[in-house]
Amino acid sequence: MDAFVQKALKDYHVPGAAVVIVQDGKTVLLKGYGVRDTAKQAPVDPNTVFQMASVSKAFTGTLAGALKDEGKLDFDRPIFNYLPEFVHYDDYIGRNLTMRDLLAHRSGYPAFGGDTIGQVGFSRAEVLRRLRYYKPANSLRDRATYSNIAFFLAGEVEAAVGGGSWDELMASKIFAPLGMRRSFTTLEALQDSNTSNCYAMVDGKMIEVPHMDHNVLGAAGSVATTASDIANWLKMLLAEGRFEGRQVLKPETVKQIFERSMVSERTFAEMPPISEASGFYYGLGFGSYDYANVQVIEKGGAIPGVRTTVVLVPEKHAAIAVFANLNLTAFPEAIRAEWLARLLNQGDREANQKEIMDRNNRLEAMFKMPSPPKNPKPAPFSLDSLVGTYESEFYGTFEIRKSGDGLVVRAGTSTREGVLSHVDGGLFWLKWPSVTEGPSDTTFAIGADGRAETMINEVYGVMPRKKA
């Protein structure tokens, strides 16, 4: 495996990575590869901190289990009993939504929707208040829809019943009992000197990108940890909740966390050996599928400049975690697919690796920044007519103002500014200052006075101009 990782690091052009494998209660591989800082050529080691991205959801599920074991939380009791200030857009869902619904992606919230609410300057309390305006895409338990908003809400439930913030509870009930001394939940903690930078390939060049601030939606993606630390968490889960002589979670609670609570369609994010034949399901913070007649438990993560995955095979008492400091790379999936095939003695290693590399190349193409048309039509109105403040009940205000010959946008109470650029005719692109975040289509409805009355954005929806 060590040789395979070394080769994959080059094949996928990953600056740095960390890998840990545990089996039968022992760490059998724990190693850093490449560099955490390309300028300084500082190496990755087992204690290098990486942002975990959505692997954080599995930690949020683990915290829910700890609170359940304390008698503070029931997975199947409607959450309004714990969080009476929460108001849902839909009364029926609001009366029946449970922690299991949130953690198993069966809440009805739009798939991958609403994430940018964490970037507009609101507090967690304000995001919670605004959820009454966030419209579901489906009925409760109708279908699986992967939702960061659902996990944010799960974190707020945990905070309410646990008597502290989600961050404090994660530190006291998960990190401390497991001896995870280099594990954090806030961007501020990433000032640690042995922290991996984040990188992205842009126009054929490797560039450093900022660590994403995921603090507001923390329960969905803000955990940061090391290969050394995460090994303890994996060992605890494989040992049915026991770690170094102490029962951190009850065995039946670990079983419930892994248990399949929702069936899901396979998406672009699920790579071999996941297939139509393997099925794909959601437990409480984890996904799972069948491979070689055993259940595989898995959770991956992706934020700008980071890719992660953790995989457990309880029947074999084995697990792996892979961290990589490159944007949108399938390197973690390649490593875990090779490890699974070796662990389970499968002969599909070469075919799986070929498909994963193909999927990696398709991912790069899928997220490539679009180019404007060569001969755009002029805008049918002046840029001055768009200047003003537009309002979304959920996302807050969007202020458009002139800057030189162009337009800039500021959202909510954040100081982050985006650029609104003309593309073709009445079409504009709203682009935030991130090399890993593409532009969103934006159009305007112009009133009789020649000024824009409404801003329509594919991410933020329909926003009327705020009256003076």
Side-chain angles (χ1 to χ4, degrees):
M1 279 303 301
D2 182 67
F4 182 87
V5 174
Q6 296 275 13
K7 182 178 184 302
L9 204 72
K10 296 177 182 177
D11 291 344
Y12 287 87
H13 309 290
V14 176
V19 179
V20 58
I21 299 173
V22 300
Q23 189 159 6
D24 297 322
K26 298 178 181 179
T27 301
V28 297
L29 175 65
L30 175 61
K31 190 172 178 179
Y33 298 85
V35 296
R36 66 177 188 267
D37 185 323
T38 57
K40 298 178 180 178
Q41 287 294 293
V44 174
D45 63 46
N47 295 310
T48 299
V49 177
F50 283 80
Q51 289 182 290
M52 288 292 97
S54 283
V55 170
S56 305
K57 293 179 174 67
F59 280 92
T60 296
T62 306
L63 176 58
L67 293 168
K68 172 188 172 294
D69 288 349
E70 292 177 5
K72 296 177 178 178
L73 182 64
D74 185 320
F75 292 151
D76 298 304
R77 190 181 187 202
I79 64 168
F80 74 80
N81 292 283
Y82 307 118
L83 203 61
E85 65 269 37
F86 168 65
V87 178
H88 199 283
Y89 183 96
D90 181 283
D91 289 341
Y92 170 78
I93 297 179
R95 289 194 305 273
N96 293 279
L97 187 68
T98 67
M99 198 67 165
R100 190 182 302 275
D101 297 323
L102 297 173
L103 297 176
H105 294 293
R106 60 186 206 185
S107 67
Y109 281 135
F112 299 100
D115 299 358
T116 49
I117 192 72
Q119 304 298 315
V120 297
F122 294 148
S123 65
R124 288 178 184 171
E126 180 62 13
V127 173
L128 179 63
R129 186 189 73 80
R130 287 176 178 265
L131 285 182
R132 69 193 65 199
Y133 304 120
Y134 190 54
K135 189 177 181 179
N138 305 289
S139 185
L140 184 63
R141 302 168 200 146
D142 177 47
R143 64 184 62 191
T145 50
Y146 189 96
S147 173
N148 288 309
I149 291 295
F151 269 79
F152 159 77
L153 184 51
E156 293 306 284
V157 173
E158 291 173 340
V161 303
S165 69
W166 172 82
D167 308 84
E168 292 166 342
L169 296 171
M170 190 62 69
S172 64
K173 297 184 183 297
I174 304 300
F175 297 159
L178 295 175
M180 298 175 68
R181 297 179 182 86
R182 290 181 54 72
S183 298
F184 316 102
T185 59
T186 65
L187 183 67
E188 293 72 25
L190 296 181
Q191 302 305 314
D192 185 283
S193 60
N194 190 4
T195 295
S196 178
N197 292 343
C198 303
Y199 296 94
M201 192 72 75
V202 178
D203 297 329
K205 287 186 176 181
M206 185 75 67
I207 66 168
E208 183 180 343
V209 298
H211 289 100
M212 181 179 180
D213 183 349
H214 222 311
N215 290 1
V216 176
L217 303 186
S222 76
V223 169
T225 190
T226 70
S228 293
D229 272 11
I230 208 168
N232 295 349
W233 178 65
L234 295 173
K235 289 173 183 177
M236 179 274 292
L237 291 170
L238 290 173
E240 298 183 317
R242 196 166 184 82
F243 180 74
E244 294 186 347
R246 181 172 180 264
Q247 204 70 42
V248 179
L249 295 179
K250 294 178 180 178
E252 57 268 28
T253 299
V254 176
K255 183 179 178 182
Q256 277 207 56
I257 290 171
F258 290 164
E259 198 171 69
R260 293 166 174 177
S261 293
M262 190 64 181
V263 65
S264 175
E265 295 178 357
R266 183 189 180 206
T267 71
F268 70 89
E270 285 79 53
M271 299 190 191
I274 303 172
S275 67
E276 295 300 324
S278 72
F280 189 74
Y281 313 85
Y282 285 118
L284 306 186
F286 287 93
S288 71
Y289 53 94
D290 296 314
Y291 181 48
N293 298 315
V294 300
Q295 185 182 34
V296 178
I297 310 296
E298 182 168 309
K299 185 71 195 85
I303 54 176
V306 173
R307 282 286 290 110
T308 59
T309 193
V310 296
V311 183
L312 302 97
V313 187
E315 189 174 321
K316 298 295 183 180
H317 310 289
I320 187 172
V322 184
F323 316 150
N325 59 12
L326 181 64
N327 195 59
L328 291 176
T329 177
F331 169 86
E333 282 77 10
I335 303 304
R336 66 82 161 104
E338 179 73 7
W339 173 75
L340 279 169
R342 291 169 182 254
L343 177 73
L344 302 174
N345 195 29
Q346 295 301 293
D348 54 3
R349 287 160 52 188
E350 188 174 332
N352 282 346
Q353 291 301 325
K354 183 179 184 303
E355 184 176 343
I356 290 169
M357 179 58 81
D358 288 344
R359 293 279 290 276
N360 181 83
N361 296 336
R362 277 184 273 163
L363 272 176
E364 290 180 2
M366 184 187 305
F367 288 94
K368 187 177 181 180
M369 297 297 174
S371 299
K374 292 182 179 179
N375 299 300
K377 300 180 184 69
F381 39 76
S382 70
L383 295 185
D384 288 334
S385 68
L386 308 181
V387 172
T389 301
Y390 302 80
E391 196 160 25
S392 162
E393 288 182 319
F394 182 53
Y395 292 103
T397 57
F398 285 71
E399 180 193 3
I400 298 178
R401 59 183 179 81
K402 289 289 291 292
S403 178
D405 295 330
L407 297 171
V408 294
V409 181
R410 183 173 291 184
T413 61
S414 171
T415 58
R416 185 176 74 147
E417 284 191 340
V419 174
L420 188 68
S421 57
H422 176 251
V423 180
D424 189 25
L427 176 65
F428 287 72
W429 278 344
L430 173 56
K431 177 72 172 69
W432 298 107
S434 168
V435 297
T436 59
E437 185 178 351
S440 55
D441 288 352
T442 307
T443 57
F444 295 86
I446 307 299
D449 62 357
R451 298 177 66 219
E453 292 183 339
T454 308
M455 174 180 175
I456 306 102
N457 179 273
E458 64 176 323
V459 174
Y460 304 106
V462 179
M463 294 170 283
R465 182 196 287 267
K466 193 174 181 180
K467 295 179 180 178

PDB file of all heavy atoms in Angstrom, residues 3 8 46 63 66 82 101 109 116 123 126 189 204 214 219 234 254 261 326 331 334 352 370 401 427 444-445:
ATOM      1  N   ALA A   3       3.760   1.750  -1.375  1.00  0.00           N
ATOM      2  CA  ALA A   3       4.242   1.982  -2.738  1.00  0.00           C
ATOM      3  C   ALA A   3       3.116   2.490  -3.633  1.00  0.00           C
ATOM      4  O   ALA A   3       3.326   3.365  -4.492  1.00  0.00           O
ATOM      5  CB  ALA A   3       4.835   0.690  -3.313  1.00  0.00           C
ATOM      6  N   ALA A   8       0.393   6.922  -6.637  1.00  0.00           N
ATOM      7  CA  ALA A   8      -0.849   7.674  -6.844  1.00  0.00           C
ATOM      8  C   ALA A   8      -0.646   9.165  -6.591  1.00  0.00           C
ATOM      9  O   ALA A   8      -1.268  10.007  -7.243  1.00  0.00           O
ATOM     10  CB  ALA A   8      -1.949   7.133  -5.940  1.00  0.00           C
ATOM     11  N   PRO A  46       2.423  12.418  10.238  1.00  0.00           N
ATOM     12  CA  PRO A  46       1.183  11.905  10.841  1.00  0.00           C
ATOM     13  C   PRO A  46       0.464  12.901  11.739  1.00  0.00           C
ATOM     14  O   PRO A  46      -0.718  12.712  12.054  1.00  0.00           O
ATOM     15  CB  PRO A  46       1.669  10.694  11.651  1.00  0.00           C
ATOM     16  CG  PRO A  46       2.894  10.231  10.929  1.00  0.00           C
ATOM     17  CD  PRO A  46       3.557  11.497  10.479  1.00  0.00           C
ATOM     18  N   LEU A  63     -21.243  12.354  17.688  1.00  0.00           N
ATOM     19  CA  LEU A  63     -21.659  13.180  18.822  1.00  0.00           C
ATOM     20  C   LEU A  63     -23.125  12.947  19.161  1.00  0.00           C
ATOM     21  O   LEU A  63     -23.493  12.874  20.339  1.00  0.00           O
ATOM     22  CB  LEU A  63     -21.416  14.656  18.508  1.00  0.00           C
ATOM     23  CG  LEU A  63     -21.877  15.665  19.563  1.00  0.00           C
ATOM     24  CD1 LEU A  63     -21.220  15.409  20.913  1.00  0.00           C
ATOM     25  CD2 LEU A  63     -21.588  17.094  19.095  1.00  0.00           C
ATOM     26  N   ALA A  66     -23.285   9.937  21.276  1.00  0.00           N
ATOM     27  CA  ALA A  66     -22.861  10.176  22.664  1.00  0.00           C
ATOM     28  C   ALA A  66     -23.987  10.822  23.466  1.00  0.00           C
ATOM     29  O   ALA A  66     -24.222  10.469  24.635  1.00  0.00           O
ATOM     30  CB  ALA A  66     -21.613  11.051  22.681  1.00  0.00           C
ATOM     31  N   TYR A  82     -36.690  19.474  21.263  1.00  0.00           N
ATOM     32  CA  TYR A  82     -35.387  19.887  21.771  1.00  0.00           C
ATOM     33  C   TYR A  82     -35.063  21.335  21.400  1.00  0.00           C
ATOM     34  O   TYR A  82     -34.282  21.998  22.080  1.00  0.00           O
ATOM     35  CB  TYR A  82     -34.287  18.996  21.189  1.00  0.00           C
ATOM     36  CG  TYR A  82     -34.521  17.518  21.379  1.00  0.00           C
ATOM     37  CD1 TYR A  82     -34.674  16.662  20.286  1.00  0.00           C
ATOM     38  CD2 TYR A  82     -34.606  16.969  22.660  1.00  0.00           C
ATOM     39  CE1 TYR A  82     -34.883  15.306  20.456  1.00  0.00           C
ATOM     40  CE2 TYR A  82     -34.822  15.601  22.836  1.00  0.00           C
ATOM     41  CZ  TYR A  82     -34.962  14.781  21.734  1.00  0.00           C
ATOM     42  OH  TYR A  82     -35.184  13.435  21.904  1.00  0.00           O
ATOM     43  N   ASP A 101     -33.736  11.854  10.527  1.00  0.00           N
ATOM     44  CA  ASP A 101     -33.995  12.450   9.218  1.00  0.00           C
ATOM     45  C   ASP A 101     -32.857  13.371   8.796  1.00  0.00           C
ATOM     46  O   ASP A 101     -32.425  13.359   7.643  1.00  0.00           O
ATOM     47  CB  ASP A 101     -35.305  13.249   9.249  1.00  0.00           C
ATOM     48  CG  ASP A 101     -36.516  12.385   9.524  1.00  0.00           C
ATOM     49  OD1 ASP A 101     -36.559  11.240   9.045  1.00  0.00           O
ATOM     50  OD2 ASP A 101     -37.433  12.862  10.226  1.00  0.00           O
ATOM     51  N   TYR A 109     -34.746  18.753   2.496  1.00  0.00           N
ATOM     52  CA  TYR A 109     -34.038  19.970   2.079  1.00  0.00           C
ATOM     53  C   TYR A 109     -33.364  19.738   0.719  1.00  0.00           C
ATOM     54  O   TYR A 109     -32.955  18.609   0.411  1.00  0.00           O
ATOM     55  CB  TYR A 109     -32.992  20.367   3.109  1.00  0.00           C
ATOM     56  CG  TYR A 109     -33.538  21.071   4.334  1.00  0.00           C
ATOM     57  CD1 TYR A 109     -33.109  20.716   5.616  1.00  0.00           C
ATOM     58  CD2 TYR A 109     -34.463  22.108   4.217  1.00  0.00           C
ATOM     59  CE1 TYR A 109     -33.601  21.378   6.744  1.00  0.00           C
ATOM     60  CE2 TYR A 109     -34.949  22.767   5.338  1.00  0.00           C
ATOM     61  CZ  TYR A 109     -34.522  22.403   6.591  1.00  0.00           C
ATOM     62  OH  TYR A 109     -35.002  23.053   7.694  1.00  0.00           O
ATOM     63  N   THR A 116     -24.311  28.483   0.900  1.00  0.00           N
ATOM     64  CA  THR A 116     -23.698  29.812   0.960  1.00  0.00           C
ATOM     65  C   THR A 116     -24.260  30.667   2.086  1.00  0.00           C
ATOM     66  O   THR A 116     -23.730  31.760   2.333  1.00  0.00           O
ATOM     67  CB  THR A 116     -23.871  30.544  -0.383  1.00  0.00           C
ATOM     68  OG1 THR A 116     -25.247  30.444  -0.788  1.00  0.00           O
ATOM     69  CG2 THR A 116     -22.999  29.923  -1.453  1.00  0.00           C
ATOM     70  N   SER A 123     -24.734  34.770  12.153  1.00  0.00           N
ATOM     71  CA  SER A 123     -24.420  33.856  13.246  1.00  0.00           C
ATOM     72  C   SER A 123     -25.227  32.572  13.075  1.00  0.00           C
ATOM     73  O   SER A 123     -26.180  32.518  12.281  1.00  0.00           O
ATOM     74  CB  SER A 123     -24.782  34.497  14.590  1.00  0.00           C
ATOM     75  OG  SER A 123     -26.195  34.682  14.673  1.00  0.00           O
ATOM     76  N   GLU A 126     -28.844  33.254  13.821  1.00  0.00           N
ATOM     77  CA  GLU A 126     -29.573  33.926  12.748  1.00  0.00           C
ATOM     78  C   GLU A 126     -29.886  32.959  11.612  1.00  0.00           C
ATOM     79  O   GLU A 126     -30.966  33.016  11.012  1.00  0.00           O
ATOM     80  CB  GLU A 126     -28.759  35.120  12.230  1.00  0.00           C
ATOM     81  CG  GLU A 126     -29.410  35.897  11.100  1.00  0.00           C
ATOM     82  CD  GLU A 126     -30.734  36.541  11.472  1.00  0.00           C
ATOM     83  OE1 GLU A 126     -31.086  36.619  12.677  1.00  0.00           O
ATOM     84  OE2 GLU A 126     -31.461  36.985  10.543  1.00  0.00           O
ATOM     85  N   ALA A 189      -8.343  27.839  14.728  1.00  0.00           N
ATOM     86  CA  ALA A 189      -7.426  26.824  15.258  1.00  0.00           C
ATOM     87  C   ALA A 189      -6.401  26.379  14.221  1.00  0.00           C
ATOM     88  O   ALA A 189      -5.391  25.758  14.561  1.00  0.00           O
ATOM     89  CB  ALA A 189      -8.212  25.621  15.763  1.00  0.00           C
ATOM     90  N   GLY A 204      -3.717  24.823 -15.461  1.00  0.00           N
ATOM     91  CA  GLY A 204      -2.482  24.055 -15.527  1.00  0.00           C
ATOM     92  C   GLY A 204      -1.443  24.411 -14.493  1.00  0.00           C
ATOM     93  O   GLY A 204      -0.348  23.853 -14.495  1.00  0.00           O
ATOM     94  N   HIS A 214     -15.659  27.421   7.501  1.00  0.00           N
ATOM     95  CA  HIS A 214     -16.883  26.622   7.590  1.00  0.00           C
ATOM     96  C   HIS A 214     -17.495  26.728   8.988  1.00  0.00           C
ATOM     97  O   HIS A 214     -18.318  25.896   9.381  1.00  0.00           O
ATOM     98  CB  HIS A 214     -16.578  25.146   7.278  1.00  0.00           C
ATOM     99  CG  HIS A 214     -17.587  24.481   6.407  1.00  0.00           C
ATOM    100  ND1 HIS A 214     -18.939  24.552   6.639  1.00  0.00           N
ATOM    101  CD2 HIS A 214     -17.447  23.707   5.298  1.00  0.00           C
ATOM    102  CE1 HIS A 214     -19.585  23.855   5.724  1.00  0.00           C
ATOM    103  NE2 HIS A 214     -18.704  23.337   4.888  1.00  0.00           N
ATOM    104  N   ALA A 219     -21.104  21.916  11.909  1.00  0.00           N
ATOM    105  CA  ALA A 219     -21.476  20.506  12.053  1.00  0.00           C
ATOM    106  C   ALA A 219     -21.492  19.776  10.719  1.00  0.00           C
ATOM    107  O   ALA A 219     -21.468  18.544  10.673  1.00  0.00           O
ATOM    108  CB  ALA A 219     -22.847  20.397  12.732  1.00  0.00           C
ATOM    109  N   LEU A 234     -11.373   5.866  14.625  1.00  0.00           N
ATOM    110  CA  LEU A 234     -11.658   4.667  13.837  1.00  0.00           C
ATOM    111  C   LEU A 234     -11.581   3.413  14.710  1.00  0.00           C
ATOM    112  O   LEU A 234     -12.432   2.515  14.607  1.00  0.00           O
ATOM    113  CB  LEU A 234     -10.660   4.565  12.678  1.00  0.00           C
ATOM    114  CG  LEU A 234     -10.737   5.661  11.611  1.00  0.00           C
ATOM    115  CD1 LEU A 234      -9.584   5.524  10.623  1.00  0.00           C
ATOM    116  CD2 LEU A 234     -12.072   5.633  10.885  1.00  0.00           C
ATOM    117  N   VAL A 254     -23.353   2.461  18.185  1.00  0.00           N
ATOM    118  CA  VAL A 254     -22.501   2.356  17.004  1.00  0.00           C
ATOM    119  C   VAL A 254     -23.242   1.607  15.900  1.00  0.00           C
ATOM    120  O   VAL A 254     -23.211   2.011  14.725  1.00  0.00           O
ATOM    121  CB  VAL A 254     -21.171   1.649  17.336  1.00  0.00           C
ATOM    122  CG1 VAL A 254     -20.339   1.455  16.063  1.00  0.00           C
ATOM    123  CG2 VAL A 254     -20.385   2.446  18.362  1.00  0.00           C
ATOM    124  N   SER A 261     -30.471   3.843   7.112  1.00  0.00           N
ATOM    125  CA  SER A 261     -31.724   4.539   7.401  1.00  0.00           C
ATOM    126  C   SER A 261     -32.382   5.127   6.163  1.00  0.00           C
ATOM    127  O   SER A 261     -33.533   5.538   6.210  1.00  0.00           O
ATOM    128  CB  SER A 261     -31.481   5.673   8.406  1.00  0.00           C
ATOM    129  OG  SER A 261     -31.114   5.158   9.667  1.00  0.00           O
ATOM    130  N   LEU A 326      -5.441  18.776  -2.207  1.00  0.00           N
ATOM    131  CA  LEU A 326      -5.693  19.230  -3.572  1.00  0.00           C
ATOM    132  C   LEU A 326      -7.188  19.251  -3.848  1.00  0.00           C
ATOM    133  O   LEU A 326      -7.918  18.342  -3.444  1.00  0.00           O
ATOM    134  CB  LEU A 326      -4.984  18.327  -4.582  1.00  0.00           C
ATOM    135  CG  LEU A 326      -5.144  18.701  -6.059  1.00  0.00           C
ATOM    136  CD1 LEU A 326      -4.508  20.065  -6.342  1.00  0.00           C
ATOM    137  CD2 LEU A 326      -4.530  17.633  -6.954  1.00  0.00           C
ATOM    138  N   PHE A 331      -7.910  11.196  -5.735  1.00  0.00           N
ATOM    139  CA  PHE A 331      -6.814  10.475  -5.076  1.00  0.00           C
ATOM    140  C   PHE A 331      -7.298   9.674  -3.862  1.00  0.00           C
ATOM    141  O   PHE A 331      -6.943   8.490  -3.723  1.00  0.00           O
ATOM    142  CB  PHE A 331      -5.726  11.476  -4.682  1.00  0.00           C
ATOM    143  CG  PHE A 331      -4.658  10.943  -3.783  1.00  0.00           C
ATOM    144  CD1 PHE A 331      -3.545  10.292  -4.294  1.00  0.00           C
ATOM    145  CD2 PHE A 331      -4.747  11.097  -2.402  1.00  0.00           C
ATOM    146  CE1 PHE A 331      -2.549   9.804  -3.453  1.00  0.00           C
ATOM    147  CE2 PHE A 331      -3.763  10.614  -1.557  1.00  0.00           C
ATOM    148  CZ  PHE A 331      -2.655   9.961  -2.080  1.00  0.00           C
ATOM    149  N   ALA A 334      -9.026   6.547  -4.986  1.00  0.00           N
ATOM    150  CA  ALA A 334      -8.097   5.573  -5.566  1.00  0.00           C
ATOM    151  C   ALA A 334      -7.400   4.771  -4.478  1.00  0.00           C
ATOM    152  O   ALA A 334      -7.257   3.538  -4.580  1.00  0.00           O
ATOM    153  CB  ALA A 334      -7.071   6.298  -6.441  1.00  0.00           C
ATOM    154  N   ASN A 352     -11.107  -0.877 -11.493  1.00  0.00           N
ATOM    155  CA  ASN A 352     -11.566   0.194 -10.606  1.00  0.00           C
ATOM    156  C   ASN A 352     -10.659   1.412 -10.686  1.00  0.00           C
ATOM    157  O   ASN A 352     -11.130   2.550 -10.721  1.00  0.00           O
ATOM    158  CB  ASN A 352     -11.640  -0.308  -9.162  1.00  0.00           C
ATOM    159  CG  ASN A 352     -12.874  -1.156  -8.909  1.00  0.00           C
ATOM    160  OD1 ASN A 352     -13.805  -1.177  -9.713  1.00  0.00           O
ATOM    161  ND2 ASN A 352     -12.876  -1.864  -7.789  1.00  0.00           N
ATOM    162  N   PRO A 370     -16.433  28.328 -16.817  1.00  0.00           N
ATOM    163  CA  PRO A 370     -16.952  28.571 -18.170  1.00  0.00           C
ATOM    164  C   PRO A 370     -16.345  29.820 -18.784  1.00  0.00           C
ATOM    165  O   PRO A 370     -15.848  30.709 -18.086  1.00  0.00           O
ATOM    166  CB  PRO A 370     -18.456  28.751 -17.928  1.00  0.00           C
ATOM    167  CG  PRO A 370     -18.551  29.276 -16.529  1.00  0.00           C
ATOM    168  CD  PRO A 370     -17.437  28.596 -15.777  1.00  0.00           C
ATOM    169  N   ARG A 401     -23.296  47.707  -6.257  1.00  0.00           N
ATOM    170  CA  ARG A 401     -22.849  49.089  -6.405  1.00  0.00           C
ATOM    171  C   ARG A 401     -21.791  49.162  -7.501  1.00  0.00           C
ATOM    172  O   ARG A 401     -21.187  48.145  -7.880  1.00  0.00           O
ATOM    173  CB  ARG A 401     -22.303  49.632  -5.083  1.00  0.00           C
ATOM    174  CG  ARG A 401     -21.145  48.858  -4.501  1.00  0.00           C
ATOM    175  CD  ARG A 401     -20.713  49.439  -3.151  1.00  0.00           C
ATOM    176  NE  ARG A 401     -19.627  48.692  -2.569  1.00  0.00           N
ATOM    177  CZ  ARG A 401     -18.341  48.830  -2.899  1.00  0.00           C
ATOM    178  NH1 ARG A 401     -17.999  49.695  -3.835  1.00  0.00           N
ATOM    179  NH2 ARG A 401     -17.410  48.111  -2.311  1.00  0.00           N
ATOM    180  N   LEU A 427     -27.994  38.562 -19.601  1.00  0.00           N
ATOM    181  CA  LEU A 427     -27.375  37.601 -18.674  1.00  0.00           C
ATOM    182  C   LEU A 427     -26.099  38.176 -18.063  1.00  0.00           C
ATOM    183  O   LEU A 427     -25.219  38.684 -18.759  1.00  0.00           O
ATOM    184  CB  LEU A 427     -27.045  36.297 -19.399  1.00  0.00           C
ATOM    185  CG  LEU A 427     -26.302  35.233 -18.587  1.00  0.00           C
ATOM    186  CD1 LEU A 427     -27.176  34.721 -17.428  1.00  0.00           C
ATOM    187  CD2 LEU A 427     -25.874  34.065 -19.478  1.00  0.00           C
ATOM    188  N   PHE A 444     -32.168  40.124 -14.521  1.00  0.00           N
ATOM    189  CA  PHE A 444     -32.913  41.175 -13.838  1.00  0.00           C
ATOM    190  C   PHE A 444     -34.228  41.447 -14.551  1.00  0.00           C
ATOM    191  O   PHE A 444     -34.303  41.365 -15.792  1.00  0.00           O
ATOM    192  CB  PHE A 444     -32.089  42.467 -13.788  1.00  0.00           C
ATOM    193  CG  PHE A 444     -30.839  42.352 -12.963  1.00  0.00           C
ATOM    194  CD1 PHE A 444     -29.659  41.868 -13.528  1.00  0.00           C
ATOM    195  CD2 PHE A 444     -30.835  42.695 -11.617  1.00  0.00           C
ATOM    196  CE1 PHE A 444     -28.498  41.745 -12.775  1.00  0.00           C
ATOM    197  CE2 PHE A 444     -29.682  42.570 -10.846  1.00  0.00           C
ATOM    198  CZ  PHE A 444     -28.521  42.096 -11.430  1.00  0.00           C
ATOM    199  N   ALA A 445     -35.245  41.763 -13.758  1.00  0.00           N
ATOM    200  CA  ALA A 445     -36.513  42.235 -14.306  1.00  0.00           C
ATOM    201  C   ALA A 445     -36.508  43.760 -14.192  1.00  0.00           C
ATOM    202  O   ALA A 445     -36.336  44.295 -13.091  1.00  0.00           O
ATOM    203  CB  ALA A 445     -37.688  41.644 -13.537  1.00  0.00           C
TER     204      ALA A 445
END
